[in-house]
Amino acid sequence: MRNSKFLRAPAGSFIFYFPAAVRNLEFLLAAALFFASAFLFLFSPNANAQLPRNDSELQLFESLNRERTAQGLSALQWDAALFKAARKHALLMLNLNMLEHQLPNEPTLEARLAEAGARFAAIAENIAIGPDPQTIHNGWMKSPGHRKNMLDPRLTSIGIAAVRGPGGLYAVQDFSHFVPELSVEQQEQKVISLLTARGFQLAAATDSARKTCTSDAGLSGTSAKSMMRFEAFDLNSLPEEIERKIRSGPPGKVAVGACHAIGTSSFSRYRIALLFF
């Protein structure tokens, strides 16, 4: 119960990381049959995102949300993609008899959560080995790094895995700030709603705004007076730089265009261009 890790979008990354590892050849031999059967279950053609949760995973989930509720925090929502990634990592830790966030030849936390289908603006992970769910939960809560992840108000979703082997219960908590998957039109409509509520009128230049969104160049082929681009993982409010633009003068006409965010990071975010007329 010594490992915790937190990552957020690259614009402001920070990590809590406490490495620990143990190796035991006899344990590897004893666990081989267990892992083989578990691996076939998890990755067989019939396996899907709706993996059944075992009693230990349910206990850890309920204990976690009781702690958050007691602190006045919102309960974390169960995320099937995070669960899939957590179960895969727990089985691999069991097979290798290692307690690590990144095992040999394994992708980073960011990459393996994305591979499982998770969409996120921030992620965190706790791992542990212990005799039972309550002992693991208590140990996490007594550790500052683990407790910080469990009670972080920025995190919204969770997937928890717990697999038992000859040496104990291997547990993984994978957290995220969930980012909904929205179509281009849905993204644009959310931003339009925010702007029209501030007095702006919609200009008939969506195509130009979308082309501007995909480019890093300035204005071209449009009669707009000015342009702004921004990236965000939450479209329920406008970034401060947009708010400053709005406050700088009377509202006029605006066109909104969305496009795929540029870059290779697995952290999810929306990219929006605004054309002001």
Side-chain angles (χ1 to χ4, degrees):
M1 287 172 286
R2 291 178 291 164
N3 282 37
S4 67
K5 191 170 189 176
F6 181 93
L7 293 169
R8 64 186 299 180
S13 302
F14 54 97
I15 301 174
F16 296 101
Y17 182 47
F18 305 92
V22 290
R23 296 175 182 270
N24 186 301
L25 181 58
E26 292 181 359
F27 181 92
L28 290 175
L29 296 174
L33 290 177
F34 172 88
F35 178 76
S37 61
F39 184 90
L40 288 174
F41 165 75
L42 185 59
F43 303 106
S44 69
N46 295 325
N48 54 50
Q50 301 302 316
L51 295 171
R53 289 179 280 179
N54 61 41
D55 289 342
S56 294
E57 291 160 347
L58 287 170
Q59 288 180 47
L60 287 169
F61 178 58
E62 292 168 357
S63 296
L64 168 62
N65 274 335
R66 277 198 299 270
E67 299 284 1
R68 289 181 65 91
T69 301
Q71 297 293 324
L73 300 170
S74 59
L76 295 178
Q77 299 300 305
W78 188 263
D79 187 292
L82 295 178
F83 177 37
K84 180 180 178 181
R87 180 70 74 80
K88 183 177 180 180
H89 188 64
L91 288 170
L92 190 55
M93 288 198 303
L94 168 62
N95 183 51
L96 298 178
N97 189 25
M98 296 178 66
L99 191 66
E100 292 284 358
H101 291 287
Q102 186 173 9
L103 297 161
N105 301 315
E106 185 185 36
T108 62
L109 173 61
E110 174 187 343
R112 54 187 171 83
L113 295 188
E115 287 174 3
R119 290 177 53 84
F120 47 83
I123 53 177
E125 180 173 82
N126 289 342
I127 60 177
I129 181 171
D132 55 70
Q134 193 59 48
T135 300
I136 290 173
H137 173 79
N138 291 341
W140 276 337
M141 286 300 295
K142 292 177 182 177
S143 165
H146 299 87
R147 181 185 177 90
K148 183 179 180 67
N149 287 342
M150 295 166 75
L151 301 181
D152 192 330
R154 298 167 295 181
L155 299 173
T156 62
S157 302
I158 185 72
I160 302 174
V163 295
R164 185 170 295 280
L169 192 67
Y170 282 80
V172 178
Q173 290 179 321
D174 281 338
F175 305 82
S176 80
H177 181 119
F178 174 70
V179 177
E181 185 171 7
L182 302 176
S183 68
V184 166
E185 291 79 11
Q186 288 173 322
Q187 295 174 47
E188 291 167 351
Q189 189 54 55
K190 289 179 76 70
V191 177
I192 288 168
S193 296
L194 294 172
L195 291 169
T196 55
R198 287 160 172 77
F200 282 86
Q201 295 180 347
L202 185 62
T206 301
D207 288 343
S208 295
R210 288 177 179 174
K211 290 177 182 178
T212 302
C213 183
T214 61
S215 171
D216 280 330
L219 285 167
S220 61
T222 175
S223 60
K225 297 177 181 178
S226 63
M227 169 274 296
M228 295 188 75
R229 298 187 193 90
F230 69 90
E231 293 187 0
F233 61 82
D234 183 358
L235 295 181
N236 291 312
S237 60
L238 295 170
E240 179 55 32
E241 62 267 27
I242 305 299
E243 293 286 2
R244 285 197 297 269
K245 168 69 174 178
I246 292 173
R247 293 193 296 264
S248 67
K253 288 189 175 182
V254 64
V256 179
C259 62
H260 293 294
I262 298 172
T264 58
S265 172
S266 298
F267 288 89
S268 299
R269 59 200 189 282
Y270 309 113
R271 182 175 169 92
I272 306 291
L274 305 178
L275 300 181
F276 295 95
F277 295 85

